[in-house]
Structure formats: C-alpha cells, structure tokens
Amino acid sequence: TRRSRALMVSVSLIAMGLMIAPSTAVAQSVWTGAVDGDMTKAGNWNPATLPTGDVVVDITVPGAALNGAGLSLNGTITVGENDTGTLAVLNGGILDTANGTLGANAGSIGNALVQGAGSVWSGPSAIDVGDGGTGLLFIQGGGVVQAGTMRLGAQEGGSGGVFVLGPGSVLTNNNGPMTVGGVGIGTLLIGDQGLVQSFPGIVGDQGGSVGSVTVGDGARWNVTEYLVVGRSGEGYLDAK
C-alpha cells in the first residue's frame, strides 16, 4: 500500500543516515607552541583544543612541557615523528598516555625529560625510544616513568637511549619485556641510585641489533622472570 511504501522509504532513509553519519573519532592534535610551552593551554595545539587522543610534537622551540600540571591522553604521544621534538614533565607534572614514541621515523629525533619528585609519565601499553629514528629519555631527580613494555632501538635504523639517574628516579615496565636493542641500537644507563624494574629483560634481541646496559654504583636493575643478554643480536651488560 501507499502507507507501507512510505514507511519503507522512511526506514531506508534512516538506515542511510546511520551509515553516512560523520565519524566521532578524535582527530590527531599537533603541538604548535603558539602561545608558550604549556601543554595544558589549548592555544598551543592544532586544532586549538586540549588534546585527548593522539598527539605529535615535532618542534623544539618551544618544546612541550607539563610543569606541575597534568594531562591525560587516550592515544599515543609521538615526540619526533618526522622532525625534532622535545617533551618535559617537571615539578610534579603527570602525563598519562596509552602509548609513547620518541623518534618515530627515519631522520626524526625525539627527546623527553621526566624530572623532579612526583613527576610521572605513565604509558600503560608501550613506550618506544628510538623506533625508526633517534630517541632519548632522561629520568632524573626523582622522576618516574611507567610502561607496560619498552623498546630501545625498536626498528632497523632506530637508536634509543634511556638514562635513569639519581635517588628516587624509577623506570618500571610490568607487562612485557624491557628490550634494549630490539632491531636497532639501544642503550640503558642506570646511575647514582637510580632504579629500573623490568618484566623481563632482553639486551640485543633481533639479528643486527646492539644492546648495552650499564648499572653504576648504588644503582639497581631488578629483572623478574628472565634476563637474556645477546639473544640474536649483540648484548653487553656492565654491572658495577
């Protein structure tokens, strides 16, 4: 009947509307530092709103900083995607991310500093330092970094260095291995009463990789389950 045909057309249009409804996915935010170096100011991001998902920091002046403030992201923070980027978590700042990458692609450089008592970067899934580029992570002065898994020199051509220095400075991964030299080159230095806690630990994982770990006087590397030095690559461990 005419009424039933009209109803069918209405239902079809509603279904089409559902299919073509715009996506509600959160867009990637890019750090511009247009105002200053404060990550909690919307004007420092493109688009000019506080990010909640994936973010990219590809500049160094000004670098992105959390100074005694907090920011929570349900995506990945990439510092140095295709260029050079810097990140600082200072003076009790707290950064929560799903994942983190320092030095993502070939030619990129990503530097991060977590410094001061109460300063925390938490990436419960994974943090890669030197994925396909160069990454450096400094944890000092009582700063804390927590990750599910961590890879230093994750991919071929990647180079990653992590430095855990000073009393109260802690790096913890508790949901997979700490891999120093995945396919690339990885360096881990723990000094001056710094502490690294890993579950488990691998130094020199894949063929062609080079991993080096130095544990200085008064510092500790606590490894749960197992520690492999030179799995298929080159591995070096120097514990004072």
Side-chain angles (χ1 to χ4, degrees):
T1 66
R2 182 178 300 175
R3 181 177 179 183
S4 63
R5 287 197 299 270
L7 180 59
M8 290 173 63
V9 170
S10 298
V11 171
S12 297
L13 288 173
I14 291 172
M16 289 177 63
L18 290 174
M19 288 188 290
I20 64 175
S23 171
T24 57
V26 178
Q28 181 185 74
S29 297
V30 177
W31 173 256
T32 65
V35 179
D36 54 25
D38 187 351
M39 294 176 71
T40 64
K41 290 183 180 178
N44 285 319
W45 297 97
N46 181 22
T49 58
L50 282 183
T52 58
D54 295 337
V55 306
V56 172
V57 179
D58 245 358
I59 63 173
T60 60
V61 182
L66 281 175
N67 194 342
L71 183 65
S72 182
L73 306 171
N74 59 19
T76 298
I77 183 168
T78 302
V79 182
E81 182 178 53
N82 296 301
D83 209 317
T84 300
T86 60
L87 166 70
V89 182
L90 309 169
N91 301 318
I94 298 176
L95 175 63
D96 290 317
T97 65
N99 301 285
T101 301
L102 305 178
N105 299 315
S108 66
I109 300 173
N111 298 321
L113 169 65
V114 181
Q115 177 175 286
S119 299
V120 178
W121 177 13
S122 176
S125 292
I127 296 177
D128 287 341
V129 182
D131 190 19
T134 299
L136 294 173
L137 171 60
F138 296 87
I139 307 165
Q140 58 194 47
V144 174
V145 173
Q146 302 167 336
T149 64
M150 179 170 279
R151 297 184 299 173
L152 284 58
Q155 305 297 334
E156 184 176 1
S159 177
V162 175
F163 306 87
V164 186
L165 307 170
S169 301
V170 180
L171 169 61
T172 300
N173 67 285
N174 55 14
N175 194 33
M178 162 73 72
T179 303
V180 183
V183 181
I185 299 172
T187 301
L188 173 63
L189 172 63
I190 315 165
D192 191 22
Q193 301 180 55
L195 171 63
V196 174
Q197 302 180 111
S198 304
F199 174 82
I202 302 171
V203 184
D205 188 17
Q206 301 298 316
S209 67
V210 180
S212 176
V213 178
T214 301
V215 184
D217 290 335
R220 288 184 297 159
W221 186 18
N222 295 338
V223 181
T224 303
E225 194 171 311
Y226 62 83
L227 171 62
V228 179
V229 180
R231 172 177 273 177
S232 296
E234 297 180 35
Y236 304 93
L237 173 61
D238 181 11
K240 304 298 183 183

